[in-house]
Amino acid sequence: MGSSHLHCSTSMAPLLFCFCVVASLMPEFTAGITRHYTFNVKYHNVTRLCNTRSIVSVNGQFPGPRLVAREGDQVLIKVVNHVSNNVTIHWHGVRQLRSGWADGPAYITQCPIQTGQSYTYNFTIQGQRGTLLWHAHISWLRSTLYGPIIILPKLNESYPFVKPYKEVPILLGEWFNVDPEAVINQALQTGAGPNVSDAYTINGLPGPFYNCSSKNVFKLKVKPGKTYLLRLINAALNDELFFSIANHTLTVVEADAVYTKPFETGTLLITPGQTTNVLLKTKPNSPNATFLILARPYFTGAGTLDNTTTAGILEYEHPITTHHTSIKTLPLFKPSLPPINATKFVNVTQFVLNLANKFRSLASKKFPANVPQTVDRKFFFTVGLGTSPCPQNSTCQGPNGLKFAASINNFSFALPSTAMLQAHFSGQSNGVYTTDFPANPLVKFNYTGTPPNVTTVANATKALVLPFNTSVELVLQDTSILGAESHPLHLHGFNFYIVGQGIGNYDPNKDPAKFNLVDPVERNTAGVPAGGWIVVRFMADNPGVWFMHCHLDIHTSWGLKMAWIVQDGPQANQKLPPPPSDLPKC
């Protein structure tokens, strides 16, 4: 764990210490403290499913260490790269207000940290509290390089719900028996879909349903009659996951580090990059039973799938008298989850949509929902799969002998070889990117109907420029090209409000009448429904270059990504500061 340093040390002279105490009680001094962490990126051996492999991890931990801070704290994380891969780390969902240099996506806001080099990420957490995650943001390294970000409320502030007896981070992940870098490299070379993972994990453990995994089981030990806050994080590479605990309901209280109106559910769906805080109320008396905690994929595509289930166990602490009862003899209850292949069950897609509609902002006086009521700029983006040509004199294993690709408005994003933010800041974008990303699809068609015959996408590095404080409305429309599929879209540097969503093609004449502009959920990652659409609104109040991409890593690798450039505002505090001196070089 990293150490935390208060601005005023108790070892100073008593007089100064007294001043510190008094100062901390005065409102202008409650700005927060500075927390220092060191993340050593190293190899370490991990054994799962009887396979031992050397993984890239932080501080020898898998999943990685917790990053804990309070709202208002400044966080400094020195990342030291001891491995042969280039590395960056993204603090997923942290707003990074005027600290775009610390955002982390490789070649967007920074060049990667090379072997033997280090970089200190420096940012302040403003107006956020709850659960987020950190993960590598280059190639597929986040398969093992990830961990929780826990943002506590400011001192003397409480949760807008019952104070939990205990808080437990639960990270859902994917395990590969082979190096995921080899998996993605092979897929990009052949043009085919990648080999799927070998297991899903709960806090790094696959659970009892896998071969040679009976000992690698996550156990949640609870006491009866208590309320636990579970901080759920989906850190899987390529799968949206259903989550459920047998015979227990979960009360959702927060999503993507924003409080929500509480609602109860037996099953949750969490896309990669999303976080959900839930309250688990344990039974009043210790039941003579154990309960499975399950996670398994929600799959809408046509490709291959790791259709397995990871399981943990909810165990009640038993009173001492009955302790001779072995845990193995207790009945084990299993939750029922929606069927895996959602394409055969329209009701699953409807269930997912209904669940998404239950998420609402708290929209209270203290935690308002500042939804832009008027819009300066409207955009319509199609998101989906496509193909790119097979190189001459080679054979490709993608659709029709071509290579799989993915795009937004038919442009597949090509990563530049230098960081866009540096090019933008120095005014030297020539040869790095162009600013003509289309605001609407260049070719209109029946997006969710019979797909067009030509499936090829264009390849380019394009961005969209927004003046500071532009209010934006963005329609994200899934396409049925090579099969309709759900796409969890993540926007860096901002939260957005999901004001509308539906199945089929978005109708600009009818659908806006149904928008929720009062208490829509506020998120940083949202699933565009398979064969459907969502409409989001946000204020472009954060200067910099901000990545937007599908959080299924294979789709990102195939090009389902783009960048927004938000210009500086007129005031001094609305401008992007110059790059830090230790910013890595390409």
Side-chain angles (χ1 to χ4, degrees):
M1 278 298 318
S3 58
S4 302
H5 303 300
L6 284 135
H7 280 323
C8 44
S9 160
T10 49
S11 61
M12 291 179 200
L15 188 68
L16 184 56
F17 175 58
C18 290
F19 168 74
C20 279
V21 174
V22 173
S24 68
L25 300 175
M26 291 157 68
E28 61 269 35
F29 282 98
T30 57
I33 62 169
T34 302
R35 297 181 188 254
H36 294 264
Y37 287 88
T38 300
F39 277 20
N40 284 301
V41 178
K42 289 181 172 167
Y43 296 110
H44 94 265
N45 281 348
V46 172
T47 304
R48 296 287 183 270
L49 319 178
C50 278
N51 273 278
T52 301
R53 74 177 176 89
S54 170
I55 69 164
V56 178
S57 62
V58 166
N59 300 352
Q61 291 172 251
F62 173 68
R66 295 178 192 188
L67 192 147
V68 183
R70 286 194 183 277
E71 179 189 343
D73 286 354
Q74 182 187 18
V75 186
L76 294 167
I77 309 116
K78 183 180 184 181
V79 176
V80 190
N81 183 5
H82 302 277
V83 300
S84 58
N85 306 70
N86 283 346
V87 168
T88 71
I89 294 192
H90 169 52
W91 318 94
H92 182 113
V94 172
R95 284 281 327 260
Q96 298 295 3
L97 289 160
R98 296 179 59 238
S99 56
W101 303 108
D103 191 42
Y107 304 105
I108 305 295
T109 58
Q110 69 169 97
C111 298
I113 307 163
Q114 296 175 20
T115 310
Q117 305 285 308
S118 70
Y119 176 47
T120 299
Y121 291 90
N122 177 356
F123 55 88
T124 299
I125 293 169
Q126 302 176 59
Q128 294 183 277
R129 73 282 319 148
T131 305
L132 294 169
L133 72 152
W134 58 263
H135 61 74
H137 211 303
I138 182 166
S139 191
W140 278 20
L141 286 186
R142 75 175 184 87
S143 63
T144 54
L145 264 182
Y146 64 88
I149 300 177
I150 294 166
I151 308 170
L152 302 168
K154 289 178 181 170
L155 277 171
N156 307 324
E157 290 211 350
S158 55
Y159 296 130
F161 46 83
V162 174
K163 187 179 187 324
Y165 168 71
K166 204 173 164 190
E167 303 187 359
V168 185
I170 293 183
L171 291 92
L172 308 175
E174 269 182 287
W175 174 261
F176 289 79
N177 281 336
V178 296
D179 179 6
E181 290 302 283
V183 173
I184 179 58
N185 290 342
Q186 184 194 9
L188 293 178
Q189 208 176 338
T190 63
N195 290 342
V196 296
S197 56
D198 295 281
Y200 298 106
T201 56
I202 300 177
N203 287 350
L205 303 167
F209 295 170
Y210 294 99
N211 286 342
C212 190
S213 187
S214 58
K215 300 229 173 357
N216 288 333
V217 185
F218 167 71
K219 290 192 173 155
L220 179 60
K221 297 194 162 137
V222 297
K223 292 181 172 170
K226 303 278 185 199
T227 299
Y228 291 79
L229 178 70
L230 307 183
R231 297 177 174 272
L232 303 173
I233 295 168
N234 184 351
L237 272 184
N238 290 312
D239 291 282
E240 305 185 56
L241 295 167
F242 285 118
F243 178 89
S244 186
I245 302 177
N247 296 26
H248 290 73
T249 40
L250 306 168
T251 304
V252 174
V253 290
E254 178 239 298
D256 291 5
V258 183
Y259 294 133
T260 60
K261 287 190 171 72
F263 71 91
E264 288 189 355
T265 182
T267 305
L268 272 171
L269 177 71
I270 313 175
T271 77
Q274 282 187 340
T275 55
T276 310
N277 277 5
V278 298
L279 296 176
L280 168 73
K281 218 172 161 188
T282 57
K283 301 188 179 300
N285 303 309
S286 190
N288 275 330
T290 52
F291 304 91
L292 281 175
I293 302 166
L294 296 188
R296 81 158 179 228
Y298 163 57
F299 184 62
T300 53
T304 46
L305 165 80
D306 174 359
N307 65 354
T308 59
T309 304
T310 178
I313 293 173
L314 179 73
E315 244 174 51
Y316 277 80
E317 279 185 23
H318 286 269
I320 285 116
T321 46
T322 61
H323 219 288
H324 59 268
T325 324
S326 156
I327 192 99
K328 291 196 167 101
T329 60
L330 295 175
L332 182 65
F333 288 97
K334 191 175 171 179
S336 61
L337 284 171
I340 278 183
N341 193 343
T343 45
K344 295 191 179 126
F345 303 90
V346 175
N347 54 347
V348 180
T349 300
Q350 193 55 54
F351 169 83
V352 167
L353 203 62
N354 294 347
L355 187 64
N357 277 320
K358 287 184 180 171
F359 283 83
R360 298 288 171 98
S361 284
L362 205 51
S364 63
K365 199 171 172 182
K366 187 163 186 194
F367 302 107
N370 297 316
V371 193
Q373 297 295 315
T374 57
V375 177
D376 299 324
R377 302 266 328 254
K378 289 188 177 184
F379 300 96
F380 184 99
F381 288 3
T382 54
V383 296
L385 301 183
T387 55
S388 60
C390 190
Q392 273 188 319
N393 304 328
S394 59
T395 51
C396 289
Q397 293 164 21
N400 307 320
L402 302 167
K403 285 188 156 194
F404 263 115
S407 68
I408 301 180
N409 277 354
N410 212 46
F411 278 99
S412 183
F413 186 90
L415 271 184
S417 52
T418 62
M420 292 175 73
L421 187 59
Q422 268 172 295
H424 162 69
F425 184 82
S426 62
Q428 295 170 324
S429 62
N430 217 352
V432 182
Y433 63 85
T434 58
T435 55
D436 55 350
F437 188 91
N440 293 284
L442 301 177
V443 180
K444 294 181 171 54
F445 59 99
N446 178 0
Y447 304 116
T448 53
T450 309
N453 293 337
V454 180
T455 59
T456 40
V457 300
N459 217 14
T461 310
K462 291 179 182 291
L464 245 171
V465 179
L466 297 170
F468 185 80
N469 256 354
T470 305
S471 56
V472 174
E473 180 179 287
L474 171 62
V475 179
L476 293 161
Q477 171 74 57
D478 184 36
T479 70
S480 57
I481 299 173
L482 302 181
E485 199 165 336
S486 173
H487 297 282
L489 261 278
H490 171 47
L491 175 61
H492 289 231
F494 300 93
N495 283 346
F496 50 73
Y497 292 95
I498 305 172
V499 297
Q501 52 196 338
I503 300 292
N505 292 338
Y506 172 72
D507 184 335
N509 300 316
K510 291 183 182 159
D511 289 324
K514 296 180 279 215
F515 285 177
N516 173 7
L517 301 177
V518 179
D519 64 347
V521 70
E522 183 184 345
R523 304 201 80 129
N524 64 59
T525 305
V528 178
W533 51 271
I534 62 171
V535 180
V536 303
R537 287 187 179 185
F538 65 95
M539 283 298 293
D541 57 359
N542 193 5
V545 178
W546 304 107
F547 207 23
M548 189 175 85
H549 60 96
C550 181
H551 220 281
L552 304 177
D553 272 28
I554 183 56
H555 293 172
T556 298
S557 301
W558 284 340
L560 210 166
K561 49 196 173 186
M562 57 84 67
W564 299 89
I565 296 176
V566 179
Q567 292 171 323
D568 282 353
Q571 318 290 329
N573 65 350
Q574 297 169 342
K575 295 184 192 322
L576 179 73
S581 57
D582 65 336
L583 187 74
K585 293 179 172 52
C586 281

